[in-house]
Amino acid sequence: MRISYHKEYSHNLGRDMEYKIYGHAGKPMLVFPTSLGRFYQYEDSGMIDTLSSFIEAGKLQIWACDSLDEETFFSTHWNNEDRIHRHEQYDKYIAHELIPGILHESKRSNGGTDQRILISGCSMGAYYSASFFFRYPYYFDTLIALSGVYSTYYFFGDYMSGDVYLNSPLHYLPGLTDEHYLNQYRSSTIIACVGQGAYEDEMLHETRLLQEVLGQKGIPARIDYWGHDVSHDWPWWNKQIHYYVEGCLG
């Protein structure tokens, strides 16, 4: 398996950001770490091994990126406005620096063929993947979110500014009427999965809310609730990601 490490300066963040690429060709897939996780977490937690057959066959090429949770959603030192402002800088890094790089490299790796991205993550990574998917649907055609929350309530409580609102899909999706956005969601593959076991209560609640909102908007989605023994942990996410990626790639 081809693996490459990258460290690049982000003008939006004013600092270096790290990521790894796994594979030589195939569907581009962007994955986010769990809360306070790093770009190497996906590999360390077995997810790359789980998906290795797709990667080695040239069906899947994965970008595992870094987060800035300690400065944004999980900061214990910054106030709400500073936290969301820093996240908006991170948002611009992902949308205007990392993703264009992914699309460029993916096209080169696949003989000049343009492809949209499969975006995914577990827990906090599921929140990120869904937030970016709904905010920038023209970059993506597939979302696989595992055990996520889909609003900012978990991070900001009832605090709601304009920027917080833009990062809270469960707040803005109910009022969204722009058919340009809605039709892009409708033409994409949306998968949200959650277990019903230990530490999944908040994720269960918000997954049900997401299912309700998408249904009201006529947006097809696969919303799966795994068993009561399925906890909020990597062994289950490994099983789930293989199952869903296999279904998407065939």
Side-chain angles (χ1 to χ4, degrees):
M1 182 192 302
R2 181 188 298 172
I3 302 175
S4 59
Y5 163 79
H6 302 263
K7 185 176 184 178
E8 298 172 352
Y9 183 78
S10 166
H11 293 282
N12 283 292
L13 292 170
R15 55 164 285 181
D16 290 329
M17 293 295 287
E18 298 170 275
Y19 62 93
K20 293 182 81 170
I21 305 175
Y22 304 86
H24 61 280
K27 180 71 174 175
M29 178 178 180
L30 171 61
V31 298
F32 292 85
T34 64
S35 55
L36 301 170
R38 297 296 311 280
F39 67 96
Y40 45 76
Q41 183 195 53
Y42 210 71
E43 179 180 354
D44 289 352
S45 300
M47 302 290 265
I48 297 299
D49 284 344
T50 293
L51 298 172
S52 61
S53 61
F54 306 111
I55 299 170
E56 292 169 353
K59 294 183 177 181
L60 191 66
Q61 192 172 22
I62 297 179
W63 277 255
C65 70
D66 240 338
S67 72
L68 284 183
D69 288 345
E70 71 281 358
E71 300 177 28
T72 58
F73 293 110
F74 291 93
S75 171
T76 59
H77 305 291
W78 294 10
N79 63 37
N80 286 337
E81 275 304 302
D82 289 339
R83 290 164 62 211
I84 196 61
H85 175 70
R86 187 59 168 164
H87 173 71
E88 280 294 291
Q89 293 175 329
Y90 176 72
D91 175 277
K92 291 180 174 61
Y93 158 69
I94 296 293
H96 302 311
E97 297 182 52
L98 183 61
I99 287 176
I102 292 173
L103 296 173
H104 176 79
E105 175 61 22
S106 174
K107 184 174 183 177
R108 188 196 66 80
S109 299
N110 291 285
T113 300
D114 288 311
Q115 297 189 74
R116 291 193 180 188
I117 297 168
L118 187 167
I119 190 167
S120 185
C122 312
S123 191
M124 185 65 185
Y127 161 78
Y128 279 128
S129 62
S131 183
F132 282 104
F133 173 86
F134 288 116
R135 192 166 178 179
Y136 303 103
Y138 38 83
Y139 286 137
F140 313 107
D141 61 9
T142 307
L143 166 67
I144 303 177
L146 306 178
S147 297
V149 296
Y150 305 106
S151 77
T152 54
Y153 182 80
Y154 184 78
F155 318 111
F156 290 96
D158 292 326
Y159 178 78
M160 184 62 63
S161 68
D163 285 339
V164 172
Y165 179 83
L166 290 174
N167 289 282
S168 192
L170 286 179
H171 282 96
Y172 66 73
L173 285 174
L176 183 64
T177 59
D178 189 330
E179 290 294 322
H180 177 69
Y181 277 80
L182 293 172
N183 286 332
Q184 289 185 82
Y185 304 152
R186 291 168 183 148
S187 64
S188 296
T189 298
I190 299 174
I191 299 168
C193 170
V194 64
Q196 300 179 74
Y199 310 112
E200 289 279 51
D201 289 350
E202 290 165 331
M203 295 74 188
L204 265 170
H205 175 65
E206 296 221 340
T207 299
R208 292 187 179 111
L209 292 177
L210 180 66
Q211 182 177 24
E212 181 179 346
V213 171
L214 296 179
Q216 291 170 350
K217 293 294 179 180
I219 299 169
R222 177 172 182 173
I223 312 295
D224 285 354
Y225 301 91
W226 286 39
H228 291 280
D229 61 334
V230 178
S231 60
H232 192 86
D233 204 358
W234 287 104
W236 286 108
W237 296 331
N238 271 269
K239 295 176 187 293
Q240 291 162 359
I241 197 62
H242 187 278
Y243 175 74
Y244 292 118
V245 167
E246 184 175 45
C248 290
L249 298 182

